[in-house]
Amino acid sequence: MGLSEIDRNLLERCLNKKPRAWEDFVDRFIGLVVHVINHTAKARSVRLSAEDKDDLCAEVFLAVIKSDFAVLRSFRGQSSLATYLTVVSRRVVVRQLLSQKPAAPLRVDSPMYVAEAIPDPHQGVEQRMGNREEVERLLDGLQGTEAQVVRLYHLEGKSYKEIGSSVGMPVNSIGPILTRARNRLRRSGVNPSAS
C-alpha cells in the first residue's frame, strides 16, 4: 500500500511549514507512536512509567523534526506513511532503551529507581545534544526553573539526580517538567520564521 492522498497532503503541509500542519501531524500519528513505544517496551520486558513513555514519545517527534524534517524528506512513498513512521519510531525507541539501560534488575519498583531508569548521566548525551536548535527555540519560551531544567538536561547532559541537586527539587519532579516543556515544543511546531 502506497501513500494515501490524506497523508501526501499532510506531508506537503509539514514540509512547507504551513500553519497547523505540525499539530495535525502529531494528532494523526501520536496513537501510532504510543503503540510502538508500548509494543517495543513489552517485547523487551522493559517497564516504563508514564513519564518515560512521554519522554520517548517526545524523542520520536523530535527525531522527525530534526534537521528541518530530514526524516520526512527522506520518505520515498513506497509504503504508507504509517508504516514508515512505525519503523522510524521503533528505531528511536530501541536506541533510547538501549542507551539508557538500567544497571539494576527491572524488578526494582521504588519511585527513585523509576525516575532514574530512563535518564543516564553518561549515555544518551549525544542524542540530547543533537536537538540543540529545537531546545534553544524551546528555551526562548520558558522561564525560571523550567528553563534551567531543560538547559541542564538537554544541553549539559545532566541526569535527573544531578538536576534535582542543582535546582533543589525532588528527582521525581524533573520528568514531568521536561514532559511539559517538550509538549510545548510539539505544540509550537517548527516554524520559527512565522513569528
Side-chain angles (χ1 to χ4, degrees):
M1 187 210 295
L3 188 59
S4 72
E5 196 53 46
I6 292 170
D7 287 345
R8 186 186 316 278
N9 183 287
L10 183 56
L11 201 54
E12 284 176 20
R13 286 175 54 222
C14 276
L15 294 178
N16 292 316
K17 299 179 182 161
K18 298 290 184 194
R20 289 225 28 95
W22 179 244
E23 289 87 342
D24 292 347
F25 184 92
V26 172
D27 288 346
R28 181 162 174 80
F29 293 110
I30 194 160
L32 176 126
V33 171
V34 169
H35 173 74
V36 170
I37 291 167
N38 290 333
H39 181 77
T40 306
K42 186 176 179 185
R44 294 174 178 276
S45 301
V46 175
R47 185 177 302 138
L48 298 173
S49 69
E51 290 83 13
D52 296 338
K53 290 177 186 180
D54 284 349
D55 287 350
L56 286 168
C57 199
E59 289 297 335
V60 169
F61 284 114
L62 284 170
V64 172
I65 64 176
K66 188 176 176 183
S67 303
D68 194 32
F69 294 107
V71 165
L72 295 183
R73 291 183 192 285
S74 63
F75 175 58
R76 296 290 162 243
Q78 294 168 344
S79 66
S80 71
L81 188 53
T83 300
Y84 178 72
L85 288 172
T86 298
V87 173
V88 169
S89 300
R90 191 175 297 123
R91 282 185 187 150
V92 171
V93 172
V94 168
R95 188 172 60 235
Q96 288 295 313
L97 291 177
L98 290 176
S99 73
Q100 299 163 348
K101 203 174 201 171
L106 198 61
R107 281 167 267 146
V108 180
D109 289 329
S110 76
M112 199 62 138
Y113 173 80
V114 173
E116 288 291 53
I118 287 293
D120 182 311
H122 306 295
Q123 296 178 317
V125 174
E126 286 175 357
Q127 177 66 29
R128 296 183 214 171
M129 302 298 236
N131 302 322
R132 190 172 199 89
E133 268 185 302
E134 290 88 352
V135 173
E136 294 288 355
R137 195 163 51 249
L138 175 61
L139 283 169
D140 290 344
L142 300 177
Q143 297 172 357
T145 307
E146 202 173 27
Q148 200 177 356
V149 168
V150 170
R151 185 174 289 106
L152 288 168
Y153 182 76
H154 283 286
L155 300 181
E156 295 182 32
K158 303 286 187 199
S159 71
Y160 281 25
K161 193 173 183 178
E162 291 169 314
I163 296 168
S165 298
S166 178
V167 298
M169 64 172 41
V171 171
N172 58 3
S173 300
I174 307 300
I177 288 175
L178 288 169
T179 299
R180 280 194 301 274
R182 288 184 188 124
N183 287 338
R184 209 175 283 182
L185 173 63
R186 270 201 302 245
R187 284 195 300 271
S188 71
V190 286
N191 199 358
S193 56
S195 52

